[in-house]
Amino acid sequence: MARFLDVHPVNPQSRLIRQVVDALRDDQLIAYPTDSGYALGSRIGNKDGRDRILKIRGLDDRHHFTLLCKDFAQLGTMVHVDNSAFRAIKHATPGPYTFILPATPEVPRRLMHPKKKTVGVRIPEHAVVQALLDELGEPLLSSTLILPGETEPEVFGWNVKEALDHQVDIVIEAGETSAEPTTVIDWSDGEPEILREGAGDVSGFLAVD
């Protein structure tokens, strides 16, 4: 049965954040709110975490995982950002964008796209997630919590608890989140390609293209 933690959405309690990070370091799987719906998260080094996420979401190995980063400096250790992308991505973060870029050697191969060797990265604008990333000290392996047969992410913690009570270890409740997922932009070939138009405005990227 998953633990259900009620965390303040603006001023997250340090004690609860430490509990979640301790669980992540113990290779547990969490469901947590972001600025674009709920997501599933595990430590990058958790070899079982990736498989558990794929199973819950009903996805295959071609799924593009996302690494949630605290800031642009941390993002830059995970992916290669060329000059054409640097300014636009930095301007858009933090915010509801996921960028697909070539992975650096810091990213385990099992987390990369099997053919493209890319990975998704994003810097969220959510106090709870920023607190988790600050305490964890490394990016968080993540995937939007869109259940099989659904088209939008979960937005209520109690719904997540009911649906995944025996499939995740912790559910964080921090108030209702947005139902609109991130805008996904593939910049792996040197120019931005909009793969999914979501909460993030795409106009600036269309101008770059």
Side-chain angles (χ1 to χ4, degrees):
M1 183 177 293
R3 281 191 288 164
F4 191 76
L5 300 180
D6 196 350
V7 178
H8 194 282
V10 178
N11 297 299
Q13 303 93 318
S14 298
R15 172 181 57 85
L16 297 180
I17 294 297
R18 285 194 296 269
Q19 286 183 28
V20 177
V21 170
D22 286 345
L24 286 167
R25 290 175 176 155
D26 196 33
D27 287 345
Q28 295 185 28
L29 182 66
I30 69 170
Y32 65 100
T34 77
D35 47 351
S36 55
Y38 265 79
L40 298 167
S42 78
R43 192 172 61 88
I44 290 178
N46 179 358
K47 295 181 179 180
D48 186 49
R50 167 190 175 276
D51 296 337
R52 292 178 69 183
I53 292 172
L54 290 177
K55 183 177 180 180
I56 289 171
R57 291 207 49 201
L59 301 170
D60 60 27
D61 288 340
R62 293 170 295 177
H63 173 64
H64 252 122
F65 279 97
T66 298
L67 303 179
L68 263 65
C69 301
K70 176 175 173 54
D71 50 32
F72 196 82
Q74 191 176 72
L75 181 149
T77 67
M78 297 288 110
V79 292
H80 297 287
V81 184
D82 65 22
N83 291 335
S84 68
F86 180 91
R87 183 175 297 179
I89 293 176
K90 191 168 186 180
H91 179 73
T93 56
Y97 295 92
T98 298
F99 298 98
I100 296 173
L101 290 158
T104 70
E106 296 294 317
V107 179
R109 290 180 65 87
R110 68 181 181 278
L111 304 183
M112 301 179 191
H113 188 281
K115 292 185 178 180
K116 298 180 179 180
K117 307 306 178 191
T118 51
V119 71
V121 286
R122 89 177 192 93
I123 303 172
E125 192 171 22
H126 192 287
V128 173
V129 186
Q130 281 290 333
L132 288 174
L133 292 171
D134 189 49
E135 181 71 22
L136 184 61
E138 64 181 54
L140 182 68
L141 176 65
S142 183
S143 180
T144 303
L145 181 44
I146 301 175
L147 294 172
E150 301 294 332
T151 58
E152 294 183 342
E154 294 293 325
V155 297
F156 293 109
W158 55 270
N159 271 348
V160 175
K161 175 84 160 70
E162 185 175 330
L164 300 178
D165 201 18
H166 298 285
Q167 297 182 69
V168 300
D169 301 296
I170 289 178
V171 176
I172 298 175
E173 167 65 45
E176 184 179 0
T177 69
S178 169
E180 196 168 13
T182 60
T183 290
V184 180
I185 301 173
D186 187 340
W187 216 313
S188 58
D189 291 327
E191 293 184 352
E193 178 186 356
I194 312 300
L195 300 186
R196 179 178 71 197
E197 188 168 348
D201 181 18
V202 302
S203 59
F205 299 97
L206 295 174
V208 174
D209 194 359

